[in-house]
Amino acid sequence: MDLKLKDKVVIVTGGGKGIGEGFSLSLAREGAIPVIFSRSSITDEFKKKIEAITTNYDFYQIDLCNTDEIKPLVDKVAKTRGGIYGIVNNAGVNDNKAIETTSWQDFEKSIHGNLTHYYEVVRSALPYLKESKGSIVNISSKTALTGQGKTSAYAAAKGGILGLTREWAVAFIHYDIRVNAIVVSECFTPLYANWIKTFGDEAHQKARLKVITDKIPLENRMTTPEEIGDTGVFVLSPKSSHTTGQWIFVDGGYVHLDRALV
Ligand code: NAP
């Protein structure tokens, strides 16, 4: 299927690693132009992977917590590339700010790092999205719906992202800009690998992973970044032309299916 993404410019925040990498590679395979915004430099390994598909991509180093730097960068992308079709709001981190040990100041800091830049990237890109009748995909997390017990700020930010997905779908309906969210549950990425390391040595990590994957109904395995990227890129694409305001779960049935039966 031709997703009609050829030469379309798509900003992917955190697009050089993990789930963002899944999006960037999938966009590249579709002939789109991924524009990666990321805090750390892209690795040689990532460069090798994307350049095996295309050299037509951009990378800009930015810490998205520096909110005032976002609009000038988005304007620069639009000017350099002649417009913007899509946004994949993906950068974020589950920073485990539990209510019992987190001040309101640290709560707000975490919200800033997980939610505010989603808003500012979209606010900055809106004039260009209006021109292109573009599309937005926001990455959220199961924690917004299931909780996790020790991550108040992250859960609030991810819930906020679901709320903004509905709000923007309505706000932009007359501009023909579609807005959807992809909800992720368990996807093995560098972020996830770091989290699993907190469970101790390799044997403990393996044991913890097994507890988790045993509860993922479809095939008892983690979702891959490629699976999330491919579904997300379809939803972002003009081929998904009558889907907006949706929360799409790419999670092997983790959130909705009856796990007591599996
Ligand atoms: P990851 O492996 O850490 O990749 C995230 C990328 O985003 C990294 O390149 C990171 O940069 C970048 N980033 C984070 N904060 C940034 C900032 N302030 N400015 C610029 N770049 C920033 O994480 P991931 O697992 O792929 O997660 C991607 C998204 O999926 C996140 O929103 C996460 O909450 C969500 N999610 C993931 C899972 C999962 O199971 N993995 C589950 C639910 C939701 P650095 O390399 O500098 O850190």
Side-chain angles (χ1 to χ4, degrees), residues 90-107:
N90 161 75
V93 56
N94 187 347
D95 47 9
N96 295 304
K97 301 290 177 198
I99 187 161
E100 296 198 50
T101 52
T102 303
S103 65
W104 67 262
Q105 288 90 344
D106 284 344
F107 174 83

Side-chain angles (χ1 to χ4, degrees), residues 20-39:
E21 172 178 321
F23 271 92
S24 297
L25 296 181
S26 180
L27 285 164
R29 280 191 293 270
E30 292 302 320
I33 303 167
V35 178
I36 297 159
F37 286 5
S38 204
R39 185 168 46 198

Side-chain angles (χ1 to χ4, degrees), residues 214-218 220 253-254 256-262:
D214 279 352
K215 293 206 171 79
I216 299 171
L218 189 62
N220 298 123
Y254 189 95
H256 290 95
L257 301 189
D258 185 347
R259 276 172 277 145
L261 294 176
V262 295

Side-chain angles (χ1 to χ4, degrees), residues 20-253:
E21 172 178 321
F23 271 92
S24 297
L25 296 181
S26 180
L27 285 164
R29 280 191 293 270
E30 292 302 320
I33 303 167
V35 178
I36 297 159
F37 286 5
S38 204
R39 185 168 46 198
S40 39
S41 224
I42 45 173
T43 61
D44 289 341
E45 199 190 335
F46 172 78
K47 271 192 212 164
K48 231 187 199 170
K49 282 190 211 168
I50 195 160
E51 287 176 15
I53 309 166
T54 184
T55 51
N56 198 14
Y57 71 98
D58 296 326
F59 164 69
Y60 293 102
Q61 195 156 10
I62 178 175
D63 183 341
L64 293 157
C65 291
N66 298 331
T67 320
D68 289 338
E69 293 175 16
I70 292 175
K71 187 169 182 318
L73 186 56
V74 169
D75 288 340
K76 184 175 171 180
V77 169
K79 200 167 169 206
T80 313
R81 286 294 189 172
I84 296 171
Y85 167 77
I87 304 292
V88 179
N89 262 326
N90 161 75
V93 56
N94 187 347
D95 47 9
N96 295 304
K97 301 290 177 198
I99 187 161
E100 296 198 50
T101 52
T102 303
S103 65
W104 67 262
Q105 288 90 344
D106 284 344
F107 174 83
E108 281 195 349
K109 203 169 155 199
S110 171
I111 295 281
H112 188 75
N114 278 305
L115 181 63
T116 307
H117 56 84
Y118 276 50
Y119 180 87
E120 186 60 5
V121 170
V122 168
R123 200 183 68 84
S124 305
L126 191 53
Y128 311 110
L129 297 175
K130 281 183 189 175
E131 262 177 46
S132 63
K133 296 185 189 294
S135 177
I136 298 164
V137 165
N138 293 321
I139 302 301
S140 184
S141 161
K142 74 167 199 294
T143 54
L145 298 136
T146 62
Q148 204 170 58
K150 290 182 183 162
T151 195
S152 284
Y154 179 75
K158 292 300 183 188
I161 287 161
L162 294 181
L164 286 177
T165 299
R166 287 271 150 85
E167 168 62 15
W168 292 341
V170 178
F172 306 157
I173 203 101
H174 297 300
Y175 307 131
D176 293 341
I177 297 170
R178 295 178 304 104
V179 189
N180 293 287
I182 298 287
V183 185
V184 182
S185 289
E186 308 289 347
C187 177
F188 207 83
T189 63
L191 177 73
Y192 204 99
N194 285 340
W195 176 72
I196 222 67
K197 279 184 198 142
T198 63
F199 290 91
D201 62 20
E202 225 171 279
H204 283 93
Q205 291 174 34
K206 257 191 164 167
R208 182 67 201 166
L209 258 184
K210 184 164 166 22
V211 169
I212 294 165
T213 51
D214 279 352
K215 293 206 171 79
I216 299 171
L218 189 62
E219 297 177 347
N220 298 123
R221 65 167 177 86
M222 308 285 287
T223 310
T224 66
E226 190 181 359
E227 287 170 320
I228 295 170
D230 284 349
T231 305
V233 164
F234 171 73
V235 169
L236 187 82
S237 79
K239 267 293 186 194
S240 176
S241 49
H242 215 213
T243 300
T244 194
Q246 300 306 303
W247 306 343
I248 293 148
F249 294 76
V250 186
D251 68 349

